[in-house]
Amino acid sequence: MPELTIIIPVYNEAENLLRVEKALVEYRAIATKTTAFLFVNDGSTDKSEKLISEICEHNIDFHFISFTKNYGLSAALKAGFDWVESPLLGYIDSDLQTTPEDFNLLLEYIDEYDLVTGVRTGRKDDFVKNVSSKVANGIRRLFTQDGMQDTGCPLKVIKTDYAKRIPMFNGLHRFLPAMILLQKGHVHQIPVRHFPRIGGEAKFGVWNRIFGPLSACFAYLWMRRNYIRFEVKKNS
C-alpha cells in the first residue's frame, strides 16, 4: 500500500504525456513517501487514452481510469478520490505547469494540516489568464472567507479521509480548501514553482475561469449552510 497516490486528470494532453511520465518517474525516485500514480482520462478524443495505457503497462504503481466521455475536472477528481486507498492523495495537472518535485515541499506540512496547497509564484501565463485567475480567486475568497491566495493551483496534498467526505459537484474543484474547512480541518498554503505550458492547449478561458466560479460560489454557500456534520459519542 503506497503512502501517497497522485491523481493526474487528463483531457486531450497527448502532446504532454511522455513528459508527464518522465517527470513522475523521476519524482518517484526522490519522493519522501512511497508513491503511486492514478491517471483519470476525462473522455479525451486524441491519443491520450492509448498513451496512458502504455505508460501504465511498463511502470509499476501507475494506474488509470478512463471515462466514456468528457465529464469535467470535478468529476475526474471525484473519481480519483473514490479510487484512492492510500492515507494521502495528491493532485497535479497534466500540463506540467507545476512540477511533481514540489510535492515534497507540501508533504513537509501534511502531518500538521489536512490539506496543503501550493501558491504559484512567478506565474508564466499570459496577461489575460493571469488577470482572470486573480479575479476568480478574489471572488472565491469573498464568498468562502478561506484566506487562500491561489485555490486554482493544481498542486495539492490532502488526507484521503477528508477528501472522500467532500460532496463534489461540477465546479467544486475550485473550493477544495473551503470544503476541508467545512469539516473543521486545517489547511496550509506554501509557494511552489510555475512553468509555461509547452504542449497542448489550455482548457479554461475567461468565461469558465470567472463566470463558472461565480455560479459555483452560490452552490458553495448553499452547501455551507446545509453541510451535515456530527460527532459520535458512543457506539456498541
Side-chain angles (χ1 to χ4, degrees):
M1 177 69 71
E3 299 170 279
L4 168 70
T5 303
I6 295 175
I7 300 167
I8 311 101
V10 176
Y11 178 60
N12 290 348
E13 293 286 1
E15 292 182 36
N16 285 318
L17 283 172
L18 294 182
R19 293 175 53 242
V20 171
E21 177 188 15
K22 181 175 183 292
L24 295 179
V25 169
E26 290 176 350
Y27 172 68
R28 185 172 58 181
I30 63 168
T32 55
K33 295 187 180 294
T34 54
T35 305
F37 305 93
L38 174 66
F39 290 98
V40 182
N41 175 35
D42 185 19
S44 296
T45 56
D46 61 1
K47 295 181 180 178
S48 292
E49 183 174 359
K50 180 177 182 294
L51 288 170
I52 290 170
S53 180
E54 292 172 354
I55 289 169
C56 293
E57 282 179 6
H58 54 76
N59 284 291
I60 191 170
D61 292 327
F62 279 60
H63 313 276
F64 75 93
I65 297 169
S66 196
F67 287 169
T68 56
K69 64 178 183 178
N70 178 238
Y71 288 100
L73 180 55
S74 292
L77 288 177
K78 171 62 174 170
F81 292 174
D82 289 347
W83 188 92
V84 167
E85 296 181 355
S86 56
L88 299 173
L89 62 85
Y91 155 49
I92 189 171
D93 274 353
S94 51
D95 58 16
L96 284 186
Q97 287 195 259
T98 52
T99 174
E101 292 178 11
D102 285 347
F103 275 117
N104 285 350
L105 301 177
L106 275 59
L107 288 168
E108 291 180 20
Y109 299 90
I110 198 60
D111 289 340
E112 184 179 356
Y113 297 93
D114 304 301
L115 176 148
V116 184
T117 182
V119 177
R120 292 166 287 186
T121 58
R123 293 281 296 270
K124 300 301 190 295
D125 294 321
D126 60 35
F127 175 78
V128 172
K129 187 174 180 180
N130 279 331
V131 170
S132 60
S133 180
K134 288 180 180 179
V135 172
N137 273 307
I139 293 171
R140 284 191 291 268
R141 277 197 303 273
L142 181 66
F143 277 80
T144 64
Q145 300 296 308
D146 60 8
M148 295 291 103
Q149 299 175 44
D150 186 13
T151 55
C153 179
L155 197 73
K156 292 177 172 63
V157 174
I158 314 173
K159 289 179 178 172
T160 301
D161 57 344
Y162 278 83
K164 287 182 179 294
R165 290 195 295 265
I166 295 175
M168 297 290 286
F169 60 83
N170 284 335
L172 200 64
H173 63 271
R174 305 178 179 98
F175 298 84
L176 294 178
M179 296 307 297
I180 300 301
L181 292 172
L182 274 183
Q183 300 179 47
K184 302 300 183 184
H186 298 87
V187 301
H188 187 55
Q189 50 191 340
I190 62 170
V192 296
R193 292 170 287 175
H194 192 248
F195 304 89
R197 176 184 268 275
I198 294 177
E201 297 181 356
K203 307 304 186 295
F204 294 95
V206 174
W207 173 263
N208 53 18
R209 191 173 286 114
I210 295 180
F211 297 102
L214 180 60
S215 62
C217 282
F218 292 101
Y220 167 78
L221 290 180
W222 179 90
M223 184 169 293
R224 186 172 68 180
R225 287 194 303 268
N226 295 278
Y227 187 76
I228 295 173
R229 188 187 300 110
F230 60 84
E231 296 181 9
V232 176
K233 181 179 178 181
K234 289 184 179 181
N235 65 64
S236 61

